[in-house]
């Protein structure tokens, strides 16, 4: 596990500030009738205008700036002109950037117009899973505490967590050790140390935990066709507690 210095964390804070600004900009454009390809163009143009570079484009051949995952798509939905958002959809917008050799990574799932009460509750619970996991990102806690916080809250609400995809360490690479599972046992796993940065990303399904990947090799969907939500922050472990990078504090 690579530990970052204060000045490296400052660069990662900047990278993640661009991620968060991008996500806020996209939220303002989100409405029924917009395509996910249009959101992707807006994101790429915005990121480049900030002097950063999209991190996902070209990563293992991924073709776009964003992952746009609609309804039953869990993660890694590829933006498309044919994917036009409709009232009642939920869409995960996942964005990564590189600044001065350091990565930022973050995601939100947003409602398009009015959504069903069930969809709304899924978004709320998944956001809370991330908040609870962040609270565990402290020196002396263990990785299993972070993972267990996600699982406990999601399953306590009657939802399930995805096992095939995980959060990750982040720094000079998009994916560093350790893997941050969305399920786990408190008090187990490596101890968290100051300078560690984790991209924590709960993926919570309304129904069962099963996953199926489309023939495109990317688009990961729920097996049962029910909804899935996904939120992600890059979080630094510091002596002062969890530092959610890019949130302007
Ligand atoms: N937030 C996701 C991750 O960290 C997005 C990666 S998409 C990819 O894995 F295309 F870059 F793989
Ligand atoms: Co990530």
């Amino acid at each position: 596990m690579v530990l970052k210095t204060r000045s490296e964390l400052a660069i990662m804070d900047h990278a993640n500030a661009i991620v968060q600004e991008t996500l806020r900009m996209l939220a303002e454009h989100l409405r029924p009738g917009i395509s996910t390809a249009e959101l992707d163009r807006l994101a790429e143009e915005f990121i480049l205008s900030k002097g950063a570079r999209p991190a996902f484009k070209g990563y293992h051949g991924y073709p776009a700036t964003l992952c746009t995952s609609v309804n039953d798509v869990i993660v890694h939905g590829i933006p498309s002109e044919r994917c036009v958002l409709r009232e009642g959809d939920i869409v995960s917008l996942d964005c990564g950037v590189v600044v001065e050799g350091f990565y930022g990574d973050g995601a939100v799932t947003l409602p398009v117009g009015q959504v069903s009460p069930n969809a709304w509750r899924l978004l709320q619970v998944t956001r809370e899973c991330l908040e609870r996991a962040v609270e565990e990102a402290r020196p002396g806690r263990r990785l299993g505490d972070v993972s267990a916080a996600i699982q406990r809250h999601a399953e306590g609400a009657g939802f399930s967590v995805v096992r095939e995809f995980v959060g990750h360490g982040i720094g000079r690479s998009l994916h560093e050790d350790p893997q941050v599972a969305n399920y786990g046992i408190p008090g187990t796993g490596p101890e968290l140390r100051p300078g560690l940065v984790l991209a924590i990303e709960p993926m919570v399904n309304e129904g069962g935990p099963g996953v199926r990947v489309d023939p495109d090799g990317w688009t990961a969907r729920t097996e049962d066709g029910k909804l899935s939500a996904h939120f992600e922050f890059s979080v630094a472990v510091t002596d002062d507690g969890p530092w959610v990078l890019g949130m302007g504090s």
Side-chain angles (χ1 to χ4, degrees):
M1 291 191 270
V2 185
L3 303 180
K4 282 81 185 176
T5 65
R6 272 278 155 179
S7 59
E8 290 173 331
L9 291 181
I11 299 171
M12 293 187 71
D13 184 44
H14 181 212
N16 281 286
I18 295 170
V19 168
Q20 294 303 326
E21 255 192 284
T22 305
L23 294 175
R24 282 197 299 273
M25 179 277 295
L26 293 171
E28 281 173 23
H29 285 84
L30 199 66
R31 52 173 174 73
I34 196 167
S35 71
T36 54
E38 179 66 20
L39 294 171
D40 195 69
R41 279 192 292 276
L42 288 166
E44 178 165 19
E45 192 181 317
F46 185 83
I47 290 164
L48 293 173
S49 80
K50 297 289 168 183
R53 175 170 79 70
F56 300 165
K57 207 169 196 173
Y59 184 84
H60 293 281
Y62 188 75
T65 293
L66 298 176
C67 298
T68 52
S69 304
V70 181
N71 294 338
D72 63 316
V73 179
I74 301 164
V75 287
H76 302 165
I78 301 172
S80 162
E81 306 290 351
R82 295 185 320 275
C83 183
V84 176
L85 297 176
R86 295 184 308 186
E87 176 99 17
D89 286 342
I90 60 171
V91 57
S92 156
L93 304 173
D94 190 350
C95 177
V97 307
V98 194
V99 174
E100 295 174 51
F102 283 92
Y103 283 78
D105 190 5
V108 290
T109 303
L110 298 171
V112 181
Q114 287 271 87
V115 300
S116 71
N118 257 2
W120 189 259
R121 196 170 72 88
L122 178 67
L123 299 188
Q124 178 137 332
V125 167
T126 309
R127 194 182 309 110
E128 289 164 357
C129 285
L130 177 55
E131 288 164 3
R132 287 167 184 235
V134 165
E135 279 308 305
E136 299 297 323
R138 301 170 182 279
R141 301 282 165 89
R142 291 175 179 275
L143 190 60
D145 297 326
V146 174
S147 299
I150 295 168
Q151 181 178 22
R152 190 186 311 122
H153 191 56
E155 292 182 354
F159 298 137
S160 62
V161 293
V162 168
R163 290 157 193 264
E164 281 82 352
F165 299 96
V166 294
H168 47 94
I170 182 168
R172 286 190 186 276
S173 303
L174 178 59
H175 296 140
E176 296 183 352
D177 282 342
Q179 294 196 353
V180 184
N182 291 317
Y183 60 94
I185 299 167
T188 66
E191 192 173 311
L192 306 181
R193 308 247 306 272
L196 181 64
V197 184
L198 300 175
I200 304 174
E201 44 185 321
M203 294 156 234
V204 177
N205 291 355
E206 182 188 20
V211 174
R212 165 171 79 69
V213 177
D214 282 2
D216 66 19
W218 286 102
T219 312
R221 298 176 187 273
T222 60
E223 223 160 43
D224 57 16
K226 295 191 176 179
L227 298 176
S228 185
H230 171 225
F231 286 78
E232 178 177 26
F233 281 144
S234 298
V235 185
V237 177
T238 82
D239 286 318
D240 306 324
W243 179 12
V244 180
L245 298 174
M247 297 303 280
S249 56

